[in-house]
Amino acid sequence: MPISPTPRQLLFICSQNRWRSLTAERLFDDHPHYQARSAGTEPGARVRVTAGHLGWADVVFVMEKKHTDILRQKFATELEGKQIINLRIPDKFQFLDAVLQDLLRERLAEHLPAFTAGSN
């Protein structure tokens, strides 16, 4: 089901912010309707998620349920009123993997009206 009202600022979360969420962020480079950032939940993440990331985002996309659980545990107040969508993408892809990009496009198209499966 599409998100409403139309989000413009998208935050992608995975564990290490090296492969999945960073690939998702790259799909939106120079996109006319969306801005994307990414972060990770683990202490060794490339960019670790902060309250500021969550405050910036209109919607938060996570790769697995465990990411939602971690965010809710650490940032309950910041998540009030925020929609969190689990994309159900396992940690088995490398950065910019073609299969990962296709999977992200497919899963995101149903939630983001201005993002089509063939864009970028």
Side-chain angles (χ1 to χ4, degrees):
M1 129 170 106
I3 301 160
S4 199
T6 303
R8 298 191 74 67
Q9 294 170 246
L10 315 175
L11 179 62
F12 293 95
I13 302 290
C14 69
S15 299
Q16 293 291 326
N17 185 229
R18 296 185 196 284
W19 298 346
R20 294 175 290 172
S21 61
L22 189 56
T23 297
E25 179 182 351
R26 291 294 170 258
L27 291 179
F28 291 89
D29 285 352
D30 302 319
H31 195 284
H33 301 290
Y34 300 112
Q35 293 179 334
R37 293 182 183 166
S38 63
T41 58
E42 298 298 318
R46 187 185 69 84
V47 173
R48 193 163 182 200
V49 64
T50 66
H53 288 111
L54 298 168
W56 171 85
D58 294 325
V59 64
V60 178
F61 290 95
V62 298
M63 300 297 156
E64 301 174 59
K65 183 186 180 300
K66 71 177 181 179
H67 301 130
T68 301
D69 296 341
I70 291 168
L71 291 177
R72 287 200 170 124
Q73 179 183 17
K74 292 183 178 179
F75 301 105
T77 303
E78 293 84 356
L79 287 171
E80 285 180 20
K82 299 273 182 186
Q83 186 169 12
I84 302 174
I85 296 171
N86 182 353
L87 296 174
R88 304 172 326 278
I89 297 177
D91 191 7
K92 65 177 190 178
F93 300 100
Q94 297 289 317
F95 178 60
L96 294 178
D97 182 295
V99 174
L100 173 58
Q101 290 184 60
D102 289 345
L103 192 55
L104 284 163
R105 285 186 183 103
E106 175 188 316
R107 302 255 165 100
L108 289 168
E110 66 184 88
H111 299 289
L112 301 172
F115 183 75
T116 60
S119 70
N120 256 3

